[in-house]
Amino acid sequence: MSWIQIRIHTHSDVVSKVEDTLLECGSLSVTLKDDADQPILEPELGTTPVWDETCVIGLFEATHDPAELSAQLNQVFRLKAKEDLPRHKIEILEDKDWVREWMDNYHPMQFGERLWVCPSWKTPPQPDAVNLMLDPGLAFGTGTHPTTSLCLKFLDREVQGDELVVDFGCGSGILGIAALLLGAAKMAGTDIDPQALLATEDNANRNGIAADQYDVYLPENTPPLKADIMVANILAGPLEQLAPTIAELTRSGGKLALSGLLAEQAETISTCYGQWFEMNAPEQEGDWVLLTGIKR
């Protein structure tokens, strides 16, 4: 079955009118995308901001005539906004297995000297390497984003063996599981999302991690741990708020890695954590940075 997709390039002040127009005209789904490389990383609580330049995408059944659909959309939008429908493009999409499409384009990746992250449905390219087999379906964290990549390279470099590693904001569990496969003795993962804890357990089992090597917790249930290595890949705001907690969970002499940070946020977070840690210069990948340190 084919589909009709309409892409409407518009401004934030009329996004809701465009979205309503698409739904009123029979759109099966509406998707919003950044149309000008303007990331929204930490919105205020209770807000749902959109980008200044937004692409609104509607999907329709192919039974519609494209010309008639365009005319109908324009007519409905004019009633709402008193102006013509913004610049738009209508295209025909051939049906395909979108899950398979994504799976086919997710490939094994190497981080540092020892570690590979491989999708669970592909054969590792280096069977004798440290291979983390990952199914990222339940929670964020595949290694493709620079923040995760920076953390994995840190772990490949710093895990020597027998450490307790705390993965704060564990997501898919990729960081804590990588540490275990690299030789850490124990991993504790914590996350506010119960789905992340399930994903971490699933991925640990997939990698043959023994049940007594890891524990996962909601933040309020986290015991008074003393990490040899603390890794937190979240965002600048939560990292700043959680600094006393993260410091308390790290032993004296323990190693720290913080990510989820843009380059311009590094100085503020480094100063914040400098109360407890000897902080190093940032490591950067694209626009993103990793901050590392040693607990005093």
Side-chain angles (χ1 to χ4, degrees), residues 130 159 161-167 173 175-190 200-201 203-217 225 228-229:
V130 177
V159 173
D162 297 327
E163 298 95 342
L164 167 61
V165 175
V166 174
D167 184 356
L175 301 180
I177 295 168
L180 290 173
L181 294 174
L182 287 163
K186 180 97 176 180
M187 181 272 281
T190 179
T200 298
E201 292 178 347
N203 285 319
N205 293 336
R206 180 172 286 105
N207 284 276
I209 304 297
D212 61 356
Q213 284 188 276
Y214 73 96
D215 294 297
V216 291
Y217 307 97
L225 304 165
D228 298 300
I229 298 178

Side-chain angles (χ1 to χ4, degrees), residues 8-20:
I8 304 173
H9 305 274
T10 189
H11 306 290
S12 58
D13 55 346
V14 293
V15 163
S16 62
K17 292 185 176 69
V18 171
E19 187 174 5
D20 289 346

Side-chain angles (χ1 to χ4, degrees), residues 99 102-103 106 117-121 132-143 170-174 193-204 206:
V99 173
W102 175 78
M103 290 173 68
Y106 178 34
V117 175
C118 306
S120 58
W121 53 90
L132 193 166
M133 308 306 293
L134 186 69
D135 179 359
L138 286 175
F140 174 79
T142 63
C170 56
S172 66
I174 183 173
D193 183 0
Q195 282 288 88
L197 305 187
L198 290 174
T200 298
E201 292 178 347
D202 287 347
N203 285 319
R206 180 172 286 105

Side-chain angles (χ1 to χ4, degrees), residues 8-289:
I8 304 173
H9 305 274
T10 189
H11 306 290
S12 58
D13 55 346
V14 293
V15 163
S16 62
K17 292 185 176 69
V18 171
E19 187 174 5
D20 289 346
T21 297
L22 288 167
L23 292 171
E24 285 185 28
C25 292
S27 179
L28 301 174
S29 69
V30 176
T31 306
L32 307 183
K33 289 182 61 178
D34 180 8
D35 213 18
D37 193 21
Q38 179 197 8
I40 299 173
L41 297 172
E42 297 184 62
E44 295 292 329
L45 289 175
T47 66
T48 52
V50 296
W51 303 276
D52 293 341
E53 301 293 327
T54 300
C55 180
V56 186
I57 305 168
L59 189 68
F60 294 83
E61 292 182 348
T63 52
H64 291 79
D65 177 87
E68 291 180 1
L69 178 59
S70 180
Q72 181 188 11
L73 289 166
N74 193 56
Q75 181 180 20
V76 173
F77 184 77
R78 283 187 62 83
L79 292 174
K80 293 180 178 297
K82 311 304 180 186
E83 60 182 85
D84 288 334
L85 189 69
R87 178 170 59 92
H88 59 280
K89 178 182 180 181
I90 293 181
E91 51 197 352
I92 305 298
L93 296 182
E94 294 302 322
D95 198 15
K96 60 176 70 176
D97 185 340
W98 295 103
V99 173
R100 174 57 56 186
E101 180 89 355
W102 175 78
M103 290 173 68
D104 288 345
N105 286 284
Y106 178 34
H107 301 290
M109 296 168 288
Q110 185 174 14
F111 300 94
E113 297 182 0
R114 298 179 285 167
L115 180 65
W116 283 79
V117 175
C118 306
S120 58
W121 53 90
K122 290 196 174 181
T123 302
Q126 293 187 15
D128 296 332
V130 177
N131 289 299
L132 193 166
M133 308 306 293
L134 186 69
D135 179 359
L138 286 175
F140 174 79
T142 63
T144 56
H145 195 274
T147 58
T148 312
S149 170
L150 286 162
C151 290
L152 290 170
K153 291 173 182 176
F154 166 85
L155 291 169
D156 179 81
R157 181 177 75 232
E158 298 294 340
V159 173
Q160 303 301 312
D162 297 327
E163 298 95 342
L164 167 61
V165 175
V166 174
D167 184 356
F168 205 102
C170 56
S172 66
I174 183 173
L175 301 180
I177 295 168
L180 290 173
L181 294 174
L182 287 163
K186 180 97 176 180
M187 181 272 281
T190 179
D191 205 290
I192 60 173
D193 183 0
Q195 282 288 88
L197 305 187
L198 290 174
T200 298
E201 292 178 347
D202 287 347
N203 285 319
N205 293 336
R206 180 172 286 105
N207 284 276
I209 304 297
D212 61 356
Q213 284 188 276
Y214 73 96
D215 294 297
V216 291
Y217 307 97
L218 294 170
E220 61 269 22
N221 298 330
T222 305
L225 304 165
K226 289 296 180 182
D228 298 300
I229 298 178
M230 167 67 72
V231 186
N233 179 20
I234 35 184
L235 291 169
L239 284 175
E240 190 168 7
Q241 296 168 14
L242 291 164
T245 300
I246 288 174
E248 179 63 25
L249 291 172
T250 309
R251 71 165 176 83
S252 178
K255 300 172 183 178
L256 173 74
L258 306 173
S259 197
L261 301 167
L262 291 165
E264 58 265 28
Q265 298 169 323
E267 184 176 355
T268 298
I269 300 302
S270 185
T271 300
C272 175
Y273 278 79
Q275 300 174 62
W276 301 279
F277 296 84
E278 293 289 342
M279 300 300 292
N280 301 315
E283 301 173 34
Q284 189 161 348
E285 192 170 310
D287 295 329
W288 302 88
V289 297

